[in-house]
């Protein structure tokens, strides 16, 4: 695979694909996958392009998952080179999406090509689940493909999501889970009035304050072996008319839980309502679940990719569940073993996003060895 991953990464970066545009990335990948005997399913939903490609029908099924869409570039004049013109400087490949996550997409393809060339009649099956709706609202992307697969009873045994996971050097971190995200919009009602006559009004900010304080100091859980404790944070509070002499009629607050597998959606909701009720508030509370937590304990997939990383880089990877959400939260619904592994994440979503050129072929080799570890008879 000498330099092949670099060349493909460059080709993908040159595709302008801000969310939800795919920019032609998937067709580039499809052209190479069809030559390997993959069955291609294009699953377009709204403005979002999704791809489900599978080679083989037998178990186990190893799926590589990722996204072709990228975040906005930001001010073009602050980039040292055009973000959609892949540019190599000082051993780094620059371009929007270089690390997040076109390098991983390219490495998926070249790893599979090398594996199939050497092991044409391998055990099991290989798949790719690719979307152009990960960096955006993520409602027409991976979740739709998972729904389609679930409807026809098609499950996945192992999944590697190519998110950029490494910190200081390639191979130092595998994400074997992510916290869930549960948000609430709380409206506490009062009675608007003149601030000079407080006995004629009811200040909802004053009423809500003790409940907010209790929510902030509550220990929701203690986490577990893989997750830190669940956290609750207020992100916005708004109340009042803007005038200094009016008691507001209501106050609105936005908050968010980042929660571990030590808690459930139901337990968190129940405890919040109990605290609000205990303080006698007149309120409305709307909930929004962005994703449940998922966890892949040490087992066949974690061990297979960790062994591949050590073989290629000499690094012993650390397992982590840190960071925000990823599409792994959707895939976990039909796959019991999901991990995330990709290049370093130091420049993702930043100006002058880049990836180390030397990391590209190593990343592909890690994916190739993981295919060997999971799909070859021992």
């Amino acid at each position: 695979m000498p330099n092949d991953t670099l060349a493909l990464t460059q080709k993908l970066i040159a595709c302008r694909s801000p969310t939800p545009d795919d920019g032609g990335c998937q067709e580039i990948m499809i052209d190479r996958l069809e030559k390997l005997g993959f069955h291609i399913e294009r699953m377009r939903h709204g403005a979002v392009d999704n791809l489900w490609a599978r080679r083989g029908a037998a178990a186990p099924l190893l799926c590589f998952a990722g996204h072709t869409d990228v975040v906005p570039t930001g001010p073009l004049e602050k980039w040292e080179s055009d973000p959609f013109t892949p540019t190599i400087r000082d051993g780094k490949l620059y371009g929007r999406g270089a690390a997040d996550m076109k390098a991983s997409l390219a490495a998926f393809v070249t790893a599979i090509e090398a594996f199939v060339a050497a092991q044409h009649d391998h055990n099991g099956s290989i798949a790719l689940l690719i979307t152009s709706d990960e960096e955006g609202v993520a409602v027409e992307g991976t979740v739709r493909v998972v729904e389609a697969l679930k409807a026809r009873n098609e499950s996945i045994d192992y999944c590697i999501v190519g998110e950029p996971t490494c910190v200081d050097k390639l191979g130092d971190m595998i994400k074997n889970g992510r916290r869930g995200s549960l948000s609430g919009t709380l409206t506490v009602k009062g009675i608007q009035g003149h601030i000079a006559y407080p006995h004629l009004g009811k200040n909802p900010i004053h009423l809500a304050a003790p409940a907010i304080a209790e929510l902030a100091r509550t220990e929701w859980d203690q986490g577990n072996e893989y997750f830190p404790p669940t956290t609750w944070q207020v992100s916005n509070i708004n109340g009042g008319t803007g005038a200094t002499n009016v008691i507001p009629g209501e106050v609105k607050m936005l908050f968010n839980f980042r929660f571990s597998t030590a808690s459930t959606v139901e337990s968190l909701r129940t405890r919040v309502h109990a605290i609000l009720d205990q303080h006698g508030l007149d309120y409305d509370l709307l909930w929004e679940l962005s994703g449940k937590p998922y966890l892949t304990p040490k087992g066949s997939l974690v061990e297979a990719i960790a062994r591949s990383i050590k073989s290629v880089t000499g690094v012993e990877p650390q397992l982590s569940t840190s960071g925000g959400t990823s599409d792994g939260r959707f895939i976990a619904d039909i796959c019991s073993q999901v991990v995330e592994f990709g290049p370093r994440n130091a420049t993702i979503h930043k100006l002058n996003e880049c990836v180390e050129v030397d990391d590209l072929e190593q990343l592909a080799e890690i994916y190739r060895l993981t295919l060997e570890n999971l799909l070859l008879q021992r």
Side-chain angles (χ1 to χ4, degrees):
M1 296 182 291
N3 299 319
D4 199 17
T5 309
L6 169 60
L8 182 53
T9 304
Q10 291 172 309
K11 198 170 183 179
L12 294 174
I13 290 172
C15 297
R16 296 176 180 268
S17 57
T19 303
D21 294 333
D22 168 72
C25 292
Q26 291 178 28
E27 290 304 319
I28 291 171
M29 298 174 70
I30 287 169
D31 182 61
R32 296 176 72 143
L33 294 171
E34 284 183 326
K35 294 172 184 176
L36 300 175
F38 275 81
H39 173 67
I40 303 298
E41 293 183 67
R42 296 170 177 86
M43 299 183 181
R44 185 171 174 86
H45 291 273
V48 176
D49 288 304
N50 302 305
L51 168 65
W52 175 249
R54 178 166 179 164
R55 184 181 195 273
L61 170 59
L62 170 57
C63 174
F64 293 99
H67 59 90
T68 55
D69 59 317
V70 299
V71 296
T73 62
L76 292 175
E77 68 275 10
K78 294 188 177 181
W79 281 75
E80 294 180 20
S81 53
D82 186 291
F84 295 110
T85 300
T87 305
I88 296 175
R89 294 192 304 275
D90 301 321
K92 297 180 176 64
L93 173 62
Y94 288 84
R96 176 55 86 217
D100 190 12
M101 57 178 287
K102 292 183 176 180
S104 295
L105 298 179
F108 289 165
V109 173
T110 58
I112 293 169
E113 287 173 336
F115 175 74
V116 171
Q119 307 290 340
H120 189 269
D121 297 320
H122 59 81
N123 299 318
S125 305
I126 307 169
L128 289 95
L129 195 170
I130 310 297
T131 184
S132 66
D133 184 35
E134 195 274 346
E135 298 289 8
V137 293
V139 297
E140 301 289 1
T142 298
V143 65
R144 297 296 188 198
V145 180
V146 168
E147 288 171 354
L149 297 176
K150 192 173 184 179
R152 63 197 195 198
N153 297 316
E154 192 169 354
S155 60
I156 299 169
D157 296 288
Y158 312 113
C159 183
I160 299 171
V161 184
E163 289 292 343
T165 59
C166 299
V167 181
D168 296 317
K169 60 179 69 173
L170 181 68
D172 63 8
M173 185 170 289
I174 299 168
K175 303 281 188 180
N176 67 320
R178 295 275 189 159
R179 294 175 296 175
S181 178
L182 175 65
S183 297
T185 301
L186 172 66
T187 302
V188 177
K189 303 172 186 178
I191 299 175
Q192 183 173 310
H194 196 295
I195 210 160
Y197 301 96
H199 59 288
L200 299 178
K202 183 185 288 186
N203 195 316
I205 298 175
H206 296 181
L207 296 172
I212 294 171
E214 183 171 347
L215 289 165
R217 65 173 176 263
T218 295
E219 181 184 85
W220 303 97
D221 59 48
Q222 295 183 338
N224 54 37
E225 177 186 358
Y226 295 102
F227 285 99
T230 292
T231 61
W232 180 86
Q233 291 288 318
V234 175
S235 58
N236 288 270
I237 296 182
N238 295 286
T241 63
T244 61
N245 60 351
V246 178
I247 294 171
E250 66 178 32
V251 61
K252 180 173 287 187
M253 181 177 76
L254 307 181
F255 63 81
N256 178 265
F257 282 105
R258 290 301 165 107
F259 65 106
S260 74
T261 52
S263 290
T264 65
V265 174
E266 292 72 22
S267 69
L268 295 174
R269 286 176 174 173
T270 298
R271 292 178 68 186
V272 169
H273 281 286
I275 290 171
L276 297 175
D277 293 341
Q278 173 190 328
H279 287 271
L281 300 180
D282 181 8
Y283 68 92
D284 292 322
L285 179 51
L286 300 177
W287 293 97
E288 180 181 357
L289 177 65
S290 299
K292 295 180 181 179
Y294 77 88
L295 175 65
T296 300
K298 293 177 183 176
S300 52
L301 178 56
V302 170
E303 291 168 2
I305 194 165
R307 192 160 67 248
S308 300
I309 291 168
K310 180 66 180 296
S311 175
V312 174
T313 67
V315 175
E316 292 278 3
Q318 173 188 350
L319 296 181
S320 173
T321 59
S322 63
T325 59
S326 79
D327 277 3
R329 68 192 190 273
F330 304 128
I331 298 168
D333 195 36
I334 58 169
C335 180
S336 61
Q337 297 189 58
V338 180
V339 300
E340 300 171 31
F341 180 74
R344 281 178 269 188
N345 56 23
T347 64
I348 60 174
H349 294 205
K350 293 183 178 181
L351 298 170
N352 299 308
E353 179 181 353
C354 63
V355 65
E356 294 282 342
V357 171
D358 288 345
D359 287 351
L360 296 174
E361 301 304 337
Q362 290 191 77
L363 180 61
E365 180 65 2
I366 289 167
Y367 292 151
R368 188 191 69 80
L369 287 177
T370 305
L371 282 162
E372 283 193 0
N373 290 337
L374 292 171
L375 299 186
L376 294 187
Q377 290 279 9
R378 297 294 180 186

